[in-house]
Amino acid sequence: MSPVRPLLNTWMRLVEKPRVRRANHPALLRRALERNRRIFFHPPRGTQQSWTRLGCIDALEVVPPNLSDTRRVLFYIHGGGFTFGSPRTHAALAAQLAHRLGIRAVLPRYGLAPEAPYPAAPDDIAAAWRGLIDQSTAPGDVILGGDSAGGALAFGLSSTLCTTGAAKPMAVFGFSPLTDLRYSGESFARNAKRDVFLPAQSAAKLTELFFPDGFVEDARVSPLAGDHTGAPPYWVTVGDTEILLDDARRLVALAQDSGVEATLVLRRDLPHVWPIMHAILPEARQTLDQLAGWIRQQPGWRDES
């Protein structure tokens, strides 16, 4: 482990976790993440970013300086508990992975609660996916992924494509994905004190903002409730001190039981969605390298026909 890791964990425990816990409105977290984006999150030099449309949904297109494959696309869904975050805050993370693959990325902008509560987020993601495919992008040329709540939406979309018999992406990945909005995993309580970023006690507030009319069991946002039979390969990474540890473990187990090739990468004592700290954390860069290597090993990637 790098010497940066304990310093980062201490900062997150003392600064970021209390900020999340105290926030009485998502606007506070949105401003904080935007500020962190300018300080910590940097795409490769020469990366181009521009707004485009995927059907009826705005999306940020990110093109790395080493673009070599114009066919394949990274469809990346940002996290933020369905209440904060944006394509801008996660563009550098997507750009770093796209750079490693030599492809472009698109990050859809979906509705955030409380202004746009459930089902805006999964509806917008589904519309953006249809918009991308309608632009003559083959589903099998798309790598689908996301972090935290964005991971919920990514694996939720995958489950939907499976159950409807639609064409599927090449592969799906998630950084510290949220997969169960009932928060029933044992690690939710067991790691409540160990998790340096996510305060478990804030989950009820998230549920109230996202489901103002009452909780809905929807696999599009709780993929642990979905059917993943026939899904493409899954890759999931999570830290052993996260409250979402069991969200990741149980999703991978469910996928494997459904016959899906699913890989779980468990890392020790790393914070929630650590790849976003790629500019300062060596472990973040290692994870992105590992994921890029896994993607390049997929049959759909190796098939150049």
Side-chain angles (χ1 to χ4, degrees), residues 123-148:
D123 285 351
D124 288 350
I125 292 302
W129 173 264
R130 290 192 299 270
L132 178 63
I133 303 309
D134 288 345
Q135 292 175 4
S136 300
T137 299
D141 286 335
V142 181
I143 297 98
L144 170 63
D147 62 278
S148 196

Side-chain angles (χ1 to χ4, degrees), residues 132-191:
L132 178 63
I133 303 309
D134 288 345
Q135 292 175 4
S136 300
T137 299
D141 286 335
V142 181
I143 297 98
L144 170 63
D147 62 278
S148 196
L153 292 165
F155 289 108
L157 174 60
S158 178
S159 175
T160 298
L161 297 174
C162 290
T163 56
T164 59
K168 304 169 187 67
M170 178 193 308
V172 188
F173 69 89
F175 301 129
S176 306
L178 171 65
T179 68
D180 174 21
L181 281 175
R182 291 189 182 276
Y183 313 114
S184 64
E186 291 182 4
S187 62
F188 202 81
R190 185 178 64 249
N191 282 347

